[in-house]
Amino acid sequence: MEAQLLDDNIYSELDGSKHGIEEVYGILDHGLSSSKDTCARPNDDSDALVRQIQDEVDVESRYDKFTQQQDDALEERYRALKQGRQPAPSPLTQVPKPMDPSEFFDEVDDWCCICNEDATWICEGCDNDKFCNACFYEGHQSDMASYEAMQHKAKKWTKSK
């Protein structure tokens, strides 16, 4: 509507009839005030977006102190390294001590390699495999045992503690 009135004003100027300048400004003011009303009432999407941004800012402000402490600690370590001295290790950077091989004990290590009974013999000819009495006899001393197996040296073995 405003565009039509402006066009009419331009045509009237060209035709020689004149509208007052106040009338033209009144039309423009009316158009601007109606658009101001539209801008004054934001839609729901913009409200949700503003709320989301405010929530994100709130979360960031909560963690500012934490991140600042981490940054300060990192800067201190960097300064110490530049000066050639070793920084104090933080609890997260300490290397754990290596495990002692005795800590790796598994009860499966005490079983017969054939039947999983408790082992009583260890055979050096069988790469130190462990055998119970029955399996050792069958594989190394019975009529069914091979000649090579009969030549293996074995010794009594007691359970690890």
Side-chain angles (χ1 to χ4, degrees), residues 54-91:
Q54 287 174 338
D55 291 343
E56 289 173 4
V57 168
D58 289 343
V59 168
E60 287 176 7
S61 66
R62 287 184 200 147
Y63 291 101
D64 278 344
K65 185 177 180 181
F66 175 72
T67 55
Q68 185 61 41
Q69 287 175 347
Q70 286 183 328
D71 291 345
D72 291 344
L74 185 61
E75 286 177 16
E76 177 61 33
R77 289 179 56 208
Y78 177 70
R79 274 189 242 112
L81 285 173
K82 275 180 84 172
Q83 294 174 357
R85 59 185 171 95
Q86 191 72 350
S90 66

Side-chain angles (χ1 to χ4, degrees), residues 6-7 15 65 98 104 158:
L6 287 174
D7 289 341
D15 290 342
K65 185 177 180 181
F104 292 113
T158 55

Side-chain angles (χ1 to χ4, degrees), residues 10-50:
I10 292 172
Y11 289 129
S12 66
E13 290 288 328
L14 294 174
D15 290 342
S17 62
K18 295 187 177 182
H19 290 282
I21 192 77
E22 292 83 16
E23 184 179 339
V24 174
Y25 283 125
I27 293 168
L28 292 174
D29 286 341
H30 174 69
L32 290 174
S33 66
S34 65
S35 64
K36 285 180 189 174
D37 291 340
T38 307
C39 291
R41 288 179 275 127
N43 60 19
D44 293 336
D45 293 339
S46 62
D47 284 342
L49 184 62
V50 168

Side-chain angles (χ1 to χ4, degrees), residues 139-160:
H140 291 83
Q141 296 174 342
S142 72
D143 294 337
M144 301 295 290
S146 70
Y147 178 74
E148 182 186 346
M150 287 184 186
Q151 303 303 315
H152 288 181
K153 296 196 190 279
K155 55 184 173 181
K156 268 301 214 193
W157 184 78
T158 55
K159 190 181 242 187
S160 303

Side-chain angles (χ1 to χ4, degrees), residues 124-148:
E124 294 174 3
C126 295
D127 296 326
N128 292 323
D129 283 342
K130 297 173 186 135
F131 297 92
C132 67
N133 283 331
C135 291
F136 183 77
Y137 175 77
E138 227 177 280
H140 291 83
Q141 296 174 342
S142 72
D143 294 337
M144 301 295 290
S146 70
Y147 178 74
E148 182 186 346

Side-chain angles (χ1 to χ4, degrees), residues 90-142:
S90 66
L92 297 177
T93 61
Q94 292 178 347
V95 178
K97 67 177 182 81
M99 291 182 70
D100 186 20
S102 65
E103 295 176 26
F104 292 113
F105 175 75
D106 189 6
E107 71 176 14
V108 176
D109 295 337
D110 290 338
W111 293 353
C112 171
C113 66
I114 296 174
C115 69
N116 296 340
E117 290 293 322
D118 288 338
T120 54
W121 293 96
I122 187 164
C123 179
E124 294 174 3
C126 295
D127 296 326
N128 292 323
D129 283 342
K130 297 173 186 135
F131 297 92
C132 67
N133 283 331
C135 291
F136 183 77
Y137 175 77
E138 227 177 280
H140 291 83
Q141 296 174 342
S142 72

